[in-house]
Amino acid sequence: MTTAHNTTPQYPFTAVVGMDDLRLALLLNAVSPAVGGVLVRGEKGTAKSTAVRALSALMPHVDVVGGCRFACAPDAPDPGCPDGPHETGAVEDRPTRMVELPVGASEDRLVGALDIERALSEGVKAFEPGLLADAHRGILYVDEVNLLHDHLVDLLLDAAAMGASYVEREGVSVRHAARFLLVGTMNPEEGELRPQLLDRFGLTVEVAASREPEQRVSVVRRRLAYDADPAGFAARWAAEEDALRHRIAAARELLPGVTLGDAALRQIAATCAAFEVDGMRADIVMARTATALAAWAGRTDVLEEDVRQAALLALPHRRRRNPFDAPGLDEDKLDRTLEEFGGADEGSDGEDDPDPDGPDGGPDGGGPDGGGQPPQDGGPEESPRTESPGLPHQQERETPQAPEGPEAPEAPERQEQPAAPEQAQEDAPGAGGQKAAVGATEPFRTRRLDVPGLGEGADGRRSRARTAHGRTTGARRPHGALGKLHLAATVQAAAPHQRARGRSGRGLVVRRDDLREAVREGREGNLVLFVVDASGSMAARKRMSAVKGAVLSLLLDAYQRRDKIGMITFRGTGAELALPPTSSVEAGAARLEQLPTGGRTPLSEGLLRAHEVLRVERMRDASRRPLLVVVTDGRATGGPEPVGRAARAARLLAGEGTASVVVDCEAGPVRLGLAGELARELQGTAITLDELRADSVSALVRTVQGNRKAA
């Protein structure tokens, strides 16, 4: 008997239009959870969440021990279950759970909470299960996984890899099984996951809204029909849902009998080596995925098309070398590798004549017998298929990978640059003065630029802050729920009252007022706001390339330190917010690459725009402290009274306590030192491009803190 969690049925999985890659990846994990989960990358409004939630209705029911909060299987209960040991008794049959992890969840909500007071005073492990326990033998869905705090992502992926969750508080520990299908969704515009975290997801797919009008019409028509009558809409798709549910069960039964031949295994190893993926996880995931593809197609042998499809799902997110690399895979290179290392193997039909309409429906699994989907043009309502066989999303990702090579067309312009004073580079008033964008030099490792003082912002790697993780610096009474217990301080607070409390045994009599939590100091992420001078005085080709290289290096540093970033550019007569504050440094790098130069230098406009942006961001998140990075040569030539107005704008920022760094881009034998004067007005520090490098030995390390003291 099917039990619904609510009165409104889920949107049917088989009614989802298009998105063959996403549906196939989800179904392969339903067939073989060992594949390792799915990361879904895509723009907003592409039904990522709808498809994931619909999958839960297709999963087989599970038998659990009656009354067990950790969903132990009756035939093989977890020997370490906190609710155990289990006696033979009632067995509950229930649908597979789908548990959602909200972005703002706490560590205790994820892994569970241990009652430290009872543990100390009574020796009882009073444990309240978290979401990992709820998701055991089910689906754990994390929407916007890229916005989840790093330490929560670490806990989540560790549990997924080990199949167990551990909760430890001052020597008291609880362990319980936590095996689940992990599905994460994210919008890349809001920031990327770290490469080492990307690697922990088995498969990844890119989704985007269709540009075909007929397919978009089908999406809207079906959604409106579902919203008008959810039960009736689900009933019309019930037959297709049942057929797909039975196919998942059949593939699960067939999976143990699938043979991964030597030829297929060689192709897997050669493909991973050819794309230079790190470690061996990619090989293992590809092997499991290819095996699941064969079972899904109703075969007991793995063919070359299974290996190819497995590579397209398992490798794109593993070939990124830095956060500015776009995920993707060169399919021509993949085909050459498979052909080179292919060979006759048991059950293989050869590799020269693949049949896209064969048992597995071709590489995209979108055919009638493969890919996991019933033919949508044969469903309860009209939905013409508009996607041709293949991987349209994968193919679209290949285009940006071609080298742009900005240096080649710009070489003649570099040769024509006159060796004139920098002020002569500015254009005459009234002229447009815009020059074509130039490429950036290679990024380098930068010094860490800190915000002074002790903050309380989100965990990161830049400035000192009180955080939930870090070294213990003291103890305090808990504010609200107890965090990390400071055992020594708790015992010290309880010790003087033991006689008055009638202590008679060995145990310590502890009251709530005795509890102390640890005060920890770590690092926080900041809002790094770049104010970049794009005026004519900065427009010399080699010089602007170096400036862009420096900003790109700072962007990479901000990514590694978990900062939010924003970018303001000023040139001509005003300033522009080129990038509103975001976690996506990739967007910052893209805007920087397209940045044109030329015109006068309205320095004051750039600083005033920075003041306004920081004011708004302070209202949105007062705990995230800003760091202003001004990249300029210090000249001010735009607008009325440009020098005085720029000085007043700088003092306005300094008066609000904004930590700032001026990256001095002045070059040439004659230097005016204007960037240094600007830094003094900002009560910040000035460093040259050379001093920005972490390996520079031309000057002592200078931090924002030190220069503010000097000022």
Side-chain angles (χ1 to χ4, degrees):
M1 181 177 67
T2 302
T3 303
H5 291 287
N6 52 59
T7 57
T8 303
Q10 290 281 6
Y11 190 93
F13 190 86
T14 49
V16 175
V17 178
M19 297 197 299
D20 292 337
D21 293 348
L22 170 58
R23 293 184 295 163
L24 179 60
L26 291 173
L27 289 168
L28 291 176
N29 274 272
V31 171
S32 176
V35 165
V38 185
L39 176 64
V40 187
R41 299 164 46 91
E43 58 196 23
K44 53 187 176 294
T46 50
K48 302 186 296 291
S49 302
T50 298
V52 175
R53 293 188 178 100
L55 178 68
S56 62
L58 299 175
M59 302 291 284
H61 282 215
V62 294
D63 291 334
V64 300
V65 174
C68 178
R69 297 174 298 168
F70 301 88
C72 281
D75 55 344
D78 179 13
C81 177
D83 284 356
H86 297 296
E87 302 291 339
T88 303
V91 176
E92 296 179 7
D93 174 66
R94 74 180 190 197
T96 296
R97 287 178 176 173
M98 193 194 77
V99 177
E100 295 192 41
L101 174 62
V103 170
S106 65
E107 181 176 336
D108 284 346
R109 185 71 186 97
L110 176 63
V111 300
L114 193 63
D115 191 331
I116 297 297
E117 184 176 358
R118 292 189 64 192
L120 289 176
S121 60
E122 303 175 29
V124 175
K125 293 182 180 180
F127 180 68
E128 184 65 29
L131 295 177
L132 292 180
D134 293 341
H136 180 46
R137 304 177 66 198
I139 301 172
L140 183 60
Y141 172 51
V142 189
D143 194 14
E144 305 295 351
V145 65
N146 52 325
L147 302 183
L148 201 63
H149 286 302
D150 286 342
H151 73 281
L152 293 183
V153 177
D154 290 335
L155 291 170
L156 179 65
L157 295 179
D158 285 344
M162 296 185 297
S165 175
Y166 295 85
V167 183
E168 298 194 11
R169 297 288 188 274
E170 301 297 336
V172 181
S173 63
V174 173
R175 173 212 165 274
H176 65 82
R179 291 183 293 275
F180 47 81
L181 167 57
L182 177 62
V183 182
T185 58
M186 60 175 284
N187 183 349
E189 294 177 355
E190 297 173 337
E192 288 284 358
L193 278 174
R194 289 175 289 162
Q196 61 268 39
L197 298 183
L198 281 172
D199 185 53
R200 300 295 287 272
F201 283 93
L203 309 179
T204 186
V205 291
E206 296 274 345
V207 296
S210 172
R211 300 298 183 258
E212 295 291 336
E214 289 302 320
Q215 195 171 58
R216 297 176 75 96
V217 166
S218 286
V219 172
V220 175
R221 182 184 294 121
R222 293 187 186 186
R223 187 70 214 189
L224 293 177
Y226 171 77
D227 291 341
D229 181 12
F233 184 83
R236 290 196 294 274
W237 288 87
E240 285 74 12
E241 292 284 286
D242 285 340
L244 194 54
R245 191 176 294 110
H246 288 117
R247 186 172 176 183
I248 292 173
R252 281 189 167 192
E253 291 181 5
L254 183 61
L255 184 65
V258 175
T259 301
L260 181 65
D262 290 342
L265 197 53
R266 281 195 301 271
Q267 288 181 319
I268 290 171
T271 300
C272 292
F275 285 98
E276 300 180 348
V277 295
D278 297 329
M280 294 297 298
R281 185 174 283 117
D283 303 64
I284 296 171
V285 171
M286 273 191 65
R288 290 171 174 166
T289 305
T291 303
L293 281 161
W296 182 243
R299 289 184 270 101
T300 57
D301 55 341
V302 175
L303 304 182
E304 181 176 307
E305 54 260 37
D306 300 324
V307 176
R308 186 182 193 276
Q309 180 63 60
L312 292 171
L313 292 173
L315 296 188
H317 61 302
R318 291 186 165 91
R319 58 171 297 276
R320 296 178 72 218
R321 287 295 179 268
N322 65 66
F324 306 129
D325 289 341
L329 212 62
D330 184 340
E331 294 192 38
D332 291 336
K333 180 178 179 180
L334 173 61
D335 290 335
R336 290 194 300 270
T337 303
L338 293 176
E339 181 179 358
E340 179 182 355
F341 289 90
D345 198 8
E346 299 84 9
S348 174
D349 296 327
E351 57 185 4
D352 296 327
D353 187 24
D355 181 9
D357 298 319
D360 62 346
D364 68 335
D369 296 318
Q373 316 308 325
Q376 296 199 17
D377 54 353
E381 58 182 86
E382 181 182 359
S383 175
R385 293 184 61 84
T386 57
E387 294 187 15
S388 59
L391 288 171
H393 302 318
Q394 298 283 355
Q395 291 169 355
E396 290 171 4
R397 290 202 298 270
E398 295 311 309
T399 304
Q401 294 184 19
E404 296 180 7
E407 291 80 10
E410 292 169 359
E413 296 186 29
R414 290 196 183 101
Q415 296 171 0
E416 296 171 3
Q417 290 289 348
E422 292 170 358
Q423 185 64 30
Q425 296 287 338
E426 296 195 5
D427 301 309
Q434 177 169 317
K435 298 180 183 298
V438 299
T441 57
E442 282 295 317
F444 51 85
R445 190 166 63 91
T446 66
R447 297 187 184 281
R448 184 176 67 210
L449 306 174
D450 296 352
V451 176
L454 192 64
E456 294 185 348
D459 287 352
R461 296 186 176 181
R462 184 172 296 279
S463 304
R464 293 175 55 228
R466 294 188 181 94
T467 60
H469 301 83
R471 62 186 181 89
T472 301
T473 59
R476 67 182 178 188
R477 291 181 183 271
H479 303 293
L482 176 67
K484 183 71 173 177
L485 179 74
H486 194 297
L487 183 58
T490 299
V491 172
Q492 186 177 11
H497 309 291
Q498 295 306 295
R499 180 174 297 178
R501 293 172 182 174
R503 174 188 172 188
S504 58
R506 298 178 59 185
L508 191 67
V509 182
V510 179
R511 300 286 186 263
R512 177 70 185 176
D513 289 343
D514 300 329
L515 297 179
R516 299 292 184 270
E517 66 180 4
V519 175
R520 292 171 170 263
E521 183 178 314
R523 295 277 174 179
E524 68 178 358
N526 298 109
L527 167 61
V528 182
L529 182 61
F530 295 94
V531 180
V532 182
D533 185 348
S535 65
S537 67
M538 302 280 288
R541 291 286 171 178
K542 291 182 179 179
R543 183 175 172 199
M544 197 61 198
S545 292
V547 169
K548 284 189 175 184
V551 178
L552 190 65
S553 303
L554 289 167
L555 285 172
L556 181 59
D557 181 68
Y559 167 82
Q560 294 169 340
R561 300 191 188 281
R562 317 291 185 261
D563 295 318
K564 287 182 67 175
I565 59 111
M567 185 182 300
I568 293 170
T569 62
F570 59 94
R571 56 177 294 273
T573 60
E576 175 189 2
L577 180 58
L579 182 69
T582 175
S583 297
S584 176
V585 295
E586 299 82 4
R591 303 292 171 87
L592 180 70
E593 187 68 26
Q594 301 163 4
L595 178 65
T597 58
R600 291 192 174 274
T601 313
L603 176 58
S604 60
E605 297 302 320
L607 297 177
L608 290 173
R609 189 63 184 273
H611 175 266
E612 178 62 20
V613 170
L614 294 179
R615 183 186 67 82
V616 173
E617 288 302 309
R618 196 175 293 115
M619 291 189 292
R620 289 177 176 170
D621 185 359
S623 65
R624 187 179 287 271
R625 299 185 296 162
L627 174 63
L628 183 68
V629 179
V630 185
V631 184
T632 181
D633 56 11
R635 287 183 171 84
T637 61
E641 196 187 352
V643 176
R645 195 160 184 257
R648 290 193 294 273
R651 289 194 292 271
L652 178 64
L653 287 162
E656 295 187 345
T658 304
S660 59
V661 176
V662 178
V663 180
D664 185 358
C665 301
E666 193 172 27
V670 179
R671 303 197 180 200
L672 303 179
L674 298 177
E677 294 181 12
L678 175 62
R680 284 189 289 275
E681 295 286 4
L682 287 168
Q683 295 183 21
T685 184
I687 58 176
T688 65
L689 290 176
D690 182 53
E691 292 168 348
L692 184 61
R693 294 178 178 269
D695 55 357
S696 172
V697 294
S698 62
L700 296 176
V701 177
R702 293 188 287 180
T703 63
V704 178
Q705 176 76 58
N707 280 266
R708 287 177 67 87
K709 287 181 178 179

